[in-house]
Amino acid sequence: MKTQFEHVSVLLEEVVDFAPEATQAILDCTLGGGGHSKRLLEKFPEATLFGIDRDGFAVKASTECLQRYTAQTRLNQANFSDLPSIFSKLGEPLFDYIVADIGLSSEQLARPERGFSFMQEGPLDMRMDPDHQQITAANLLNNAGEQELISILRNYGEERFARKIVGKILASRHIKPLESTTELTELISSSIPRKLQKKGLNPATLTFQALRIAVNNELQELEDLLKQAPLRIKSGGRLAVISFHSLEDRIVKQQFRKWENPCVCPTDLPYCICGKKSLGRVLTRRPVNASKKEVADNPRSRSAHLRVFAFEKTVS
Ligand SMILES: C[S@@+](CC[C@H](N)C(=O)[O-])C[C@H]1O[C@@H](n2cnc3c(N)ncnc32)[C@H](O)[C@@H]1O
């Protein structure tokens, strides 16, 4: 039986165009439906590809998508934070091109039972890996303290109405536990005065983003991935990251800058004494965004930002 996987890969040609010439070994950290991996293998038919995704359904779908390439691919269900232990078992392999298209797939968003969408009725789940993660969004909403919830909404959603929304959550869960996405959406909508709600933005957007980031520990996972990349890349290799919101994009941008110029000497020193050496250079001064045509064909690509770093040195 064919697994239906609803996802259109974003910035597909751009990701392929940034691959180093004569790429032999690829690491795809976010397989999703396998779209980026497949295009890369079409361009580099001799390459080997190691791919992971924390969502078992995505691993199944990408295995199907990459069926033609079984002999040269190895796909695992894993988190970014699992990479050190996986690679230590595999003998510390190195890659020419590492790709991470982080965030959610359209497939995860489209399935109401996953609880990611404020547009559809579903349980407040939001786990990217329901096979192994225990804590759901409902667990957080119904058990976390007031301050913790406010911090989640502020830090991960930059939600200005965090205090009001959390006030309503506490009042509501006092009567009965919150259970469904639509229940939460209505509660958020009623917490923000209508005239202050942003046009074209569902008032639940930032709270759902914040909860999803918290449930999946997404920012820490991204930091873990960025720690691993310089250890896993060949000299001359590249890392391409696509992010979908400013919190992630900021982390990627700042890390790339540090890799390019890690010197921490005071600016008035005539020469560097800290001894920290550049690992390479940022290839994308500004993030690469989707073209008008791509946005028209796939509106989800509107918020995608691609940044690429070229490593001249590796850290080992
Ligand atoms: C935007 S989709 C990737 C789509 C894919 N590039 C394609 O072309 O079909 C993002 C995927 O990253 C996975 N993901 C997000 N965070 C992850 C993490 N920390 N570890 C492993 N996979 C992760 C999600 O489960 C999701 O399937």
Side-chain angles (χ1 to χ4, degrees), residues 38-310:
K38 183 161 180 252
R39 272 296 287 123
L40 284 165
L41 287 169
E42 281 164 2
K43 174 151 183 197
F44 302 105
E46 304 296 316
T48 56
L49 182 138
F50 188 83
I52 64 161
D53 200 293
R54 69 194 300 182
D55 186 334
F57 193 61
V59 177
K60 220 187 248 172
S62 46
T63 303
E64 223 163 68
C65 173
L66 302 175
Q67 234 167 17
R68 277 186 55 198
Y69 302 97
T70 324
Q72 65 208 85
T73 53
R74 184 163 179 169
L75 313 182
N76 270 20
Q77 184 179 6
N79 289 317
F80 303 156
S81 52
D82 298 324
L83 288 175
S85 63
I86 294 177
F87 289 139
S88 129
K89 281 182 206 139
L90 292 177
E92 310 294 353
L94 296 178
F95 300 92
D96 299 286
Y97 198 30
I98 302 181
V99 177
D101 170 20
I102 49 188
L104 285 182
S105 66
S106 309
E107 174 68 26
Q108 288 164 325
L109 255 178
R111 289 189 175 254
E113 71 274 20
R114 303 294 300 263
F116 288 111
S117 170
F118 45 73
M119 312 279 276
Q120 306 177 79
E121 169 90 25
L124 284 161
D125 190 315
M126 303 195 193
R127 289 169 297 170
M128 284 188 191
D129 175 7
D131 300 334
H132 301 101
Q133 287 171 255
Q134 307 295 327
I135 298 178
T136 64
N139 296 144
L140 273 184
L141 287 162
N142 292 314
N143 299 304
E146 182 178 13
Q147 271 319 313
E148 188 185 351
L149 285 174
I150 292 175
S151 301
I152 290 174
L153 266 52
R154 283 200 180 134
N155 297 340
Y156 300 152
E158 298 177 317
E159 173 58 75
R160 335 192 250 144
F161 297 99
R163 187 170 289 283
K164 282 203 159 187
I165 295 169
V166 170
K168 287 248 179 178
I169 291 171
L170 294 185
S172 173
R173 79 187 194 188
H174 189 66
I175 301 165
K176 81 165 205 32
L178 280 155
E179 280 168 4
S180 81
T181 48
T182 41
E183 202 182 336
L184 179 63
T185 304
E186 279 161 26
L187 183 151
I188 297 165
S189 189
S190 70
S191 315
I192 307 177
R194 198 159 284 278
K195 59 177 188 290
L196 297 180
Q197 293 184 9
K198 280 196 187 147
K199 271 208 184 104
L201 184 77
N202 187 304
T205 307
L206 299 178
T207 299
F208 270 64
Q209 172 188 304
L211 287 168
R212 191 198 98 194
I213 291 176
V215 166
N216 297 292
N217 201 14
E218 286 180 46
L219 301 187
Q220 185 56 52
E221 281 285 320
L222 174 58
E223 304 264 10
D224 287 352
L225 174 66
L226 295 174
K227 248 183 239 151
Q228 270 298 294
L231 303 170
R232 298 271 60 95
I233 202 100
K234 292 184 192 170
S235 177
R238 292 181 179 178
L239 167 67
V241 183
I242 301 174
S243 59
F244 287 85
H245 57 75
S246 56
L247 294 172
E248 289 169 343
D249 187 50
R250 206 174 303 147
I251 293 175
V252 175
K253 181 171 76 180
Q254 287 172 355
Q255 184 59 73
F256 281 16
R257 269 199 204 140
K258 268 193 216 156
W259 284 338
E260 188 173 60
N261 182 13
C263 177
V264 289
C265 294
T267 45
D268 55 349
L269 269 192
Y271 51 85
C272 168
I273 56 164
C274 74
K276 293 183 190 288
K277 297 274 185 284
S278 170
L279 294 186
R281 64 196 174 90
V282 179
L283 296 184
T284 45
R285 285 292 142 209
R286 288 162 180 274
V288 176
N289 299 326
S291 64
K292 278 192 184 147
K293 178 173 183 325
E294 181 170 359
V295 174
D297 292 347
N298 178 16
R300 189 182 156 274
S301 65
R302 193 184 316 115
S303 44
H305 290 322
L306 167 67
R307 293 185 186 270
V308 184
F309 191 86

